[in-house]
Amino acid sequence: MSATAEQTTPTEPAPPVFSLQLNQDQKDIREWVHGFAEGVVRPAAHEWDEREETPWPVIREAAKIGLYSYEALAQFYGDESGLTLPIVNEELFWGDAGIGMAIMGTSLAVAAIFGQGTGEQIGEWIPRCFGTVEEPQVAAFCSSEPDAGSDVSAIRTSARYDEAKDEWVLNGQKAWATNGGIAGVHVIIASVDRELGARGHAAFVVPPGTKGLEQGAKAKKHGLRASHTADVHLDDCRVPGSCLLGGKEKLDERLARAREGTGGRSQAALQTFEATRPSVGAQALGIARAAYEFALDYAREREQFGRKIIENQAIAFALADMKLEIDAARLLVWRASWMGRNGVPFQNAEGSMSKLKAGEVALWASERAMHILGGNGYTREYPVERWHRDAKIYTIFEGTSEIQRLVISRAISGVQIR
Ligand SMILES: Cc1cc2nc3c(=O)[nH]c(=O)nc-3n(C[C@H](O)[C@H](O)[C@H](O)COP(=O)(O)OP(=O)(O)OC[C@H]3O[C@@H](n4cnc5c(N)ncnc54)[C@H](O)[C@@H]3O)c2cc1C
């Protein structure tokens, strides 16, 4: 019996146990996703990176084997240890981050619906985010705007309630939305009361084919090029009252509390980001591990000055540091994921810590890997330069590294650091 368990009084529920020992289910899922990443994703990675298009054939393959489905996501999330979701993300993104994001981008919208929707909304909209096996769909989560990236409180997209018709009318422009415009279901963060900043925000589902929602410019990107990123325009886009996540009564209560100054910290976009950060960290880990493994194999083979380059401490120590940092980042990711799943409060912004560390490790390790490959590392004949391009986004989206440091420093100090 552990010390913690001995201290538990009979009336208290047992505290959740954190263990690094994977059970058979977790191992089987890891092997299954790795097999898909190795056999299907990796061979397709270069082509879709060059085409800069959504890899629908790969998404269809993932749907066919049940990997891209709400049932699979529910199973991954259902693991009480919280470890299955980061394991799946790491393996898939080890295969390729662009294709990985084309498959997993939907989960950000799913997280928003799951975190903020009523039971009925969850049941209705989450399956529709994925479409069917025959005709899979992707979903988009649209928070960022041209003038509201890190500063989520500056969102200008407005939501006005038309009481006579019981409809919400959305107007504004979203920027950088993964799957924006090509998605079936879009989740839109909009301001219901601008004076309340982020506390006046609410999340809305826009059903497939709704008039008034149009794709804007598609971004041509440095990395993650198999994942579609675009602006989304909302022009008198009307959705039924039932598309407000959480419902109107809950929103009205929340707004009233915020106006009285007694409101909690419930903020539509920020809640979603906090819940998804460990998974995003796990994606970065997948890239870091891919780069590390490739560089290790290369260093064992490549000869200069009559010996393998790994025999030089400069190379071997770099690889040792890469392995060390990747494992350290994984521990932070798993801890945060376990805490999130078990309702253990993030008192020191552990979610942000995990994403910050994993993102920076991925960028650093992929750059080291490129260096170990020398000239080959810099060419598109080898995948390492792609991994480095892909890794960079992990210090930018879902909160830049500076924003993660802001969240952590505020959490540890209680001071409103700027
Ligand atoms: C490929 C891609 C996919 C994306 N997918 C989505 C998506 O699906 N949905 C979505 O809503 N958004 C998405 N985004 C948007 C992304 O979340 C934002 O780009 C990110 O939050 C940063 O916002 P910004 O680009 O406006 O940068 P800015 O906020 O303008 O930041 C610019 C720089 O200033 C720094 N900075 C800003 N404020 C501070 C501060 N207070 N202290 C210190 N430094 C600061 C930042 O760290 C950064 O270095 C995506 C972006 C990309 C590139």
Side-chain angles (χ1 to χ4, degrees):
M1 188 183 270
S2 73
T4 340
E6 277 163 11
Q7 287 154 9
T8 308
T9 64
T11 51
E12 284 175 355
V17 173
F18 178 72
S19 169
L20 293 172
Q21 189 79 46
L22 298 187
N23 62 35
Q24 197 54 46
D25 269 359
Q26 291 164 332
K27 287 182 193 164
D28 290 346
I29 290 175
R30 181 172 63 183
E31 207 174 304
W32 176 55
V33 180
H34 187 81
F36 181 75
E38 191 170 32
V40 180
V41 175
R42 214 175 246 201
H46 176 72
E47 177 191 342
W48 293 98
D49 176 58
E50 291 291 329
R51 287 172 65 164
E52 299 191 45
E53 287 168 12
T54 300
W56 285 108
V58 185
I59 297 175
R60 275 194 283 276
E61 279 298 303
K64 219 184 284 170
I65 64 159
L67 176 57
Y68 184 70
S69 67
Y70 73 92
E71 291 94 339
L73 199 62
Q75 187 195 354
F76 303 153
Y77 184 79
D79 171 10
E80 287 179 357
S81 77
L83 301 189
T84 299
L85 207 49
I87 287 169
V88 166
N89 273 293
E90 181 177 335
E91 294 311 318
L92 193 58
F93 283 67
W94 173 91
D96 181 59
I99 295 177
M101 187 55 69
I103 292 172
M104 279 293 177
T106 295
S107 62
L108 202 55
V110 169
I113 297 169
F114 185 72
Q116 293 167 59
T118 61
E120 208 177 310
Q121 289 170 328
I122 290 170
E124 175 171 7
W125 292 110
I126 292 184
R128 291 184 71 181
C129 286
F130 293 89
T132 61
V133 173
E134 297 73 33
E135 218 176 307
Q137 301 277 318
V138 290
F141 174 77
C142 312
S143 167
S144 303
E145 297 183 359
D147 295 321
S150 301
D151 183 7
V152 174
S153 68
I155 282 177
R156 287 202 188 143
T157 294
S158 65
R160 180 179 59 78
Y161 187 54
D162 180 344
E163 200 158 1
K165 294 187 172 161
D166 183 27
E167 284 177 348
W168 287 92
V169 188
L170 307 175
N171 277 290
Q173 183 184 346
K174 292 295 177 183
W176 306 110
T178 299
N179 297 332
I182 63 164
V185 171
H186 288 76
V187 174
I188 305 286
I189 303 296
S191 174
V192 181
D193 183 340
R194 280 205 61 194
E195 284 184 12
L196 296 177
R199 286 180 196 185
H201 293 173
F204 299 85
V205 168
V206 179
T210 304
K211 276 195 201 133
L213 184 150
E214 298 258 326
Q215 183 187 311
K218 178 182 171 186
K220 281 185 78 70
K221 304 197 298 290
H222 176 65
L224 226 59
R225 301 196 307 178
S227 165
H228 170 100
T229 314
D231 286 358
V232 171
H233 296 281
L234 296 145
D235 187 11
D236 279 335
C237 176
R238 286 182 168 265
V239 296
S242 59
C243 287
L244 164 65
L245 289 176
K248 182 125 184 354
E249 205 175 309
K250 210 168 147 199
L251 173 70
D252 287 342
E253 282 170 19
R254 185 157 60 77
L255 293 178
R257 282 200 306 274
R259 285 180 194 124
E260 285 164 9
T262 56
R265 301 188 59 76
S266 176
Q267 299 170 4
L270 299 180
Q271 270 184 9
T272 301
F273 289 138
E274 205 47 41
T276 52
R277 274 176 186 154
S279 289
V280 175
Q283 297 170 2
L285 267 177
I287 305 174
R289 203 182 96 216
Y292 156 74
E293 288 174 3
F294 199 93
L296 178 62
D297 287 347
Y298 188 91
R300 281 195 180 123
E301 294 298 322
R302 173 74 174 167
E303 285 185 14
Q304 287 293 280
F305 300 100
R307 58 179 185 269
K308 308 287 186 196
I309 60 169
I310 200 170
E311 289 172 38
N312 303 297
Q313 279 192 0
I315 300 292
F317 284 11
L319 287 159
D321 284 343
M322 286 157 78
K323 174 71 176 150
L324 174 75
E325 291 292 320
I326 290 167
D327 280 10
R330 186 179 299 103
L331 287 173
L332 290 180
V333 165
W334 283 16
R335 176 180 72 168
S337 199
W338 170 80
M339 290 175 78
R341 180 65 184 86
N342 286 283
V344 180
F346 285 158
Q347 284 179 339
N348 297 301
E350 286 85 351
S352 294
M353 277 192 208
S354 70
K355 192 264 177 183
L356 170 62
K357 180 69 179 170
E360 297 208 335
V361 165
L363 186 61
W364 169 82
S366 56
E367 192 275 336
R368 285 291 82 199
M370 251 166 83
H371 195 71
I372 289 170
L373 265 75
N376 283 333
Y378 200 67
T379 70
R380 292 198 180 186
E381 297 301 306
Y382 286 77
V384 181
E385 65 79 34
R386 186 178 72 245
W387 292 330
H388 186 54
R389 286 188 284 110
D390 290 346
K392 179 57 196 163
I393 192 59
Y394 287 86
T395 67
I396 297 176
F397 69 4
E398 292 241 355
T400 64
S401 290
E402 288 76 17
I403 295 305
Q404 309 302 339
R405 289 191 168 87
L406 207 61
V407 175
I408 299 164
S409 57
R410 285 177 182 171
I412 59 172
S413 68
V415 175
Q416 194 60 10
I417 315 281
R418 288 171 193 284

